[in-house]
Amino acid sequence: MPDALEVVGLHAGYGRILVVRDASLRVEPGEVVALLGSNGSGKSTLLKAVAGLLKPEAGAVRLFGKDVTGVPPERLVSNGLALVPEGRMLFGPLTVAENLALGAYATGHVQEVLERVLALFPVLSARLSQPASTLSGGEQQMLAIGRALMSRPRVMLLDEPSLGLAPRVVSDIFDVLDELRSEGIAVVLVEQDANLALKHADRGYVMRGGRIVMEGPAADLRRNDDVRLAYLGSWHGKEPTDADLES
Amino acid sequence: MTSVQVVAAVAVLAVPFLGADRYLLKVLTFVGVNTLIVLGLALLFGYAGQVSLGHAAFFGIGAYTSAYLSSALGLPWLVAVAAAVGLTACAGWAVAVPGLRLKGHYLAMATLGFNEIMSVAFVEARRFTGGNDGLGGVPFPSIGPYELDTPASLYLLVWGVALVALVGAANIVKSRPGRAMRALHCTEPGASACGIDVSSVKVRAFTLSAALAGLAGSLYAHTVGFISPTTFGLDLSILLVAAVVLGGRESLAGPVVAMAALTLLQYLGALVPGLSRQAAEAVQDWVPDIVGLTVVGVLIARSRGFRLRGRRGVPERGGQG
């Protein structure tokens, strides 16, 4: 069986500035993979290139063995890839129900899928007729994930789901990852909070300066001194940045 | 449709039978024509969030196409209407494909430029448009031997079409394409993450919107029988945008009512019996200022315009925050 998502030798950037160099990664069905790295290490750029928001300079992206390099995002959705964008990008004035319906725009609305999403996030059922902008931050993140699930994805890209949320809400959201794994959905998780991400992930990749510099099982990465020094942060008063590590 | 909407539609269509005089019927027919144009702009601007300061030009393209084909070439009315709508839709598509790569103010400037270019073209293409002298002798709408030549029948034709368009537009905004338009208005990256082809939805909305303006132009030309370039200038485009701003985002009834009010304002002298001549002229001279000040006032008081829908006021918070 081919990998759910396979990225081979991907180069991507903005205009003439190359940000991601020669990045390769793979995710199996039902696997949660964390993509770690400090600010500016290229994780979001890599995710954008995979999601079709940015055309890769070189390399290939494959979904279940099918080449989808440079395919625009609206067509990737019908190929089984869903993106939960950074900053959530909800439709604020539209109701929760309308937001969820738009998640199924490309693939067609299925009642059972809606029921499953609402079972996953029960708090949304009570808010269906409310504008999305009136939800709390945590509820908005749940809606963003729920909206992505409406297209019945087999691969899901999650960009910074914990951003700006209270720790208790974050743990609720991360518990959902375990549900997704049990349903066989492959998840790529980009996260600033490396400790948290590795706690929920099966494997992890560490990026620095636009390259993938380390990969391995999540448990190993959590114990690895280099990763702890670089990304888990607790050893020094402040988190070292890319610039500190280069010198 | 709710009972209120049915009553409103019946009331609109009953006006000619209530003994309204010829002049009033003509003015109200113009209101119907403007309703058609503003409906298209409400879809494009109020729902999809794409501004156009060039809708008077599409109105003009429809009017001149229909007028030229039926008067100079003698084509039947229905053929002229169909050609006018088709050509305006093509023009809308041709403006949309390059234009919608632009956003916000830049899109406004590009469509404004298009309106100015077309204003010059309407004057300079004398062979087709008659230049500044205008194009007269446009025949009344007719199908076979039946001709609509009374103010009442023309009123019913224009408002009949406008009401059908209103029902159609109301269906569009409630269904899948309408949701896609509202979604890209909120956030384009979010919309494409949902699998919405953002540029295709924009182009289709713009084309439909232009086609409605072209239909209005055609009806206008056959109703008044004479058209000249000044009707299709930037003033009307600005008035239309003002009506959508006043009517509110994601509303059809709002812009329609606002446009009706702005249209009637120009004929105030003849409509209000007791009004003195000087007062009527003063109002007419000040119409652009009144419109501008009202828009500014409304935007200060309610940044999203008046909502004419029965909806509780919900505090707006950043949907992306």
Side-chain angles (χ1 to χ4, degrees):
Chain A
M1 181 156 181
D3 289 324
L5 175 69
E6 191 186 11
V7 177
V8 187
L10 195 84
H11 289 65
Y14 306 93
R16 285 164 62 194
I17 301 161
L18 205 56
V19 177
V20 172
R21 294 158 200 271
D22 197 24
S24 298
L25 60 85
R26 43 176 221 87
V27 192
E28 284 169 23
E31 194 182 30
V32 177
V33 166
L35 190 55
L36 308 174
S38 55
N39 279 336
S41 61
K43 357 183 250 307
S44 282
T45 306
L46 175 55
L47 208 64
K48 275 187 197 159
V50 172
L53 294 170
L54 201 64
K55 223 176 174 76
E57 301 289 331
V61 180
R62 291 187 199 111
L63 270 179
F64 293 92
K66 185 181 170 189
D67 185 46
V68 293
T69 318
V71 170
E74 64 266 12
R75 289 203 6 236
L76 283 175
V77 177
S78 27
N79 278 305
L81 183 130
L83 169 70
V84 181
E86 186 182 350
R88 305 191 272 270
M89 302 288 170
L90 291 175
F91 310 122
L94 275 63
T95 64
V96 170
E98 286 172 323
N99 271 272
L100 289 173
L102 277 159
Y105 181 86
T107 51
H109 186 82
V110 179
Q111 189 59 31
E112 290 90 81
V113 180
L114 178 64
E115 278 160 19
R116 211 192 69 201
V117 168
L118 292 179
L120 221 47
F121 302 110
V123 64
L124 294 181
S125 339
R127 309 236 184 282
L128 280 176
S129 57
Q130 219 169 294
S133 57
T134 61
L135 300 185
S136 72
E139 290 164 348
Q140 289 195 11
Q141 187 61 54
M142 292 177 195
L143 177 56
I145 296 173
R147 186 179 69 179
L149 286 173
M150 288 298 289
S151 66
R152 284 170 285 162
R154 294 183 294 169
V155 178
M156 188 147 123
L157 310 177
L158 259 173
D159 201 354
E160 305 271 7
S162 76
L163 206 67
L165 299 183
R168 203 170 52 82
V169 184
V170 170
S171 84
D172 282 354
I173 286 169
F174 273 77
D175 286 343
V176 169
L177 289 180
D178 301 331
E179 291 277 339
L180 300 184
R181 178 191 289 122
S182 70
E183 290 179 23
I185 299 176
V187 178
V188 179
L189 173 65
V190 167
E191 184 52 64
Q192 293 263 350
D193 188 339
N195 220 336
L196 180 73
L198 288 175
K199 218 184 278 177
H200 289 269
D202 302 304
R203 287 189 303 117
Y205 291 86
V206 178
M207 288 190 79
R208 186 194 299 163
R211 292 175 193 279
I212 290 176
V213 291
M214 209 181 295
E215 66 169 286
D220 293 0
L221 288 179
R222 280 180 85 189
R223 280 195 299 271
N224 185 302
D225 282 351
D226 288 346
V227 177
R228 292 176 64 151
L229 177 65
Y231 307 109
L232 304 193
S234 52
W235 285 21
H236 298 261
K238 69 178 184 70
E239 278 192 35
T241 62
D242 260 19
D244 295 335
L245 292 161
E246 301 295 344
S247 58
Chain B
M1 285 209 296
T2 65
S3 50
V4 177
Q5 287 164 326
V6 173
V7 169
V10 170
V12 165
L13 294 177
V15 168
F17 306 105
L18 299 176
D21 69 11
R22 293 173 65 90
Y23 182 76
L24 180 64
L25 274 181
K26 276 194 176 163
V27 170
L28 291 178
T29 306
F30 293 154
V31 173
V33 167
N34 284 348
T35 296
L36 260 179
I37 319 176
V38 86
L39 265 182
L41 194 65
L43 288 175
L44 179 68
F45 183 29
Y47 282 87
Q50 309 300 310
V51 69
S52 165
L53 276 169
H55 262 50
F58 294 120
F59 181 49
I61 293 173
Y64 276 111
T65 306
S66 205
Y68 180 77
L69 292 181
S70 58
S71 63
L73 301 185
L75 291 178
W77 173 67
L78 275 179
V79 176
V81 174
V85 173
L87 190 70
T88 319
C90 291
W93 182 85
V95 172
V97 169
L100 290 175
R101 297 164 68 110
L102 307 170
K103 281 179 186 152
H105 302 311
Y106 299 100
L107 178 62
M109 287 306 292
T111 50
L112 184 149
F114 171 72
N115 206 138
E116 287 299 291
I117 291 167
M118 289 313 297
S119 289
V120 174
F122 292 148
V123 174
E124 294 302 325
R126 279 188 197 86
R127 238 190 93 205
F128 301 104
T129 65
N132 274 323
D133 299 336
L135 199 58
V138 185
F140 285 118
S142 61
I143 300 170
Y146 303 102
E147 192 174 61
L148 302 178
D149 55 359
T150 63
S153 61
L154 291 169
Y155 171 94
L156 286 175
L157 169 72
V158 168
W159 272 104
V161 173
L163 289 176
V164 168
L166 184 57
V167 172
N171 277 323
I172 288 176
V173 299
K174 269 186 285 188
S175 57
R176 203 173 108 99
R179 270 206 298 271
M181 278 160 38
R182 295 164 67 200
L184 75 90
H185 193 174
C186 300
T187 149
E188 289 186 22
S192 56
C194 282
I196 295 168
D197 186 343
V198 170
S199 49
S200 145
V201 172
K202 280 189 196 173
V203 167
R204 278 183 286 170
F206 204 96
T207 306
L208 172 68
S209 185
L212 275 172
L215 177 62
S218 171
L219 289 173
Y220 173 78
H222 292 279
T223 305
V224 296
F226 171 81
I227 52 176
S228 71
T230 48
T231 314
F232 313 110
L234 197 56
D235 293 358
L236 176 62
S237 287
I238 292 172
L239 207 63
L240 288 161
V241 169
V244 177
V245 171
L246 290 174
R249 175 175 169 175
E250 291 193 9
S251 167
L252 293 174
V256 166
V257 171
M259 192 63 202
L262 294 180
T263 310
L264 290 176
L265 200 58
Q266 300 167 57
Y267 301 97
L268 206 62
L271 296 176
V272 181
L275 207 63
S276 75
R277 208 186 147 84
Q278 284 95 335
E281 276 173 4
V283 169
Q284 226 160 25
D285 289 345
W286 285 85
V287 163
D289 308 75
I290 295 169
V291 171
L293 288 172
T294 318
V295 168
V296 171
V298 166
L299 287 181
I300 290 170
R302 301 190 54 164
S303 60
R304 284 172 184 276
F306 288 107
R307 280 178 200 273
L308 281 176
R309 295 189 299 174
R311 195 181 198 193
R312 271 181 308 140
V314 190
E316 297 283 355
R317 283 205 325 213
Q320 308 167 15

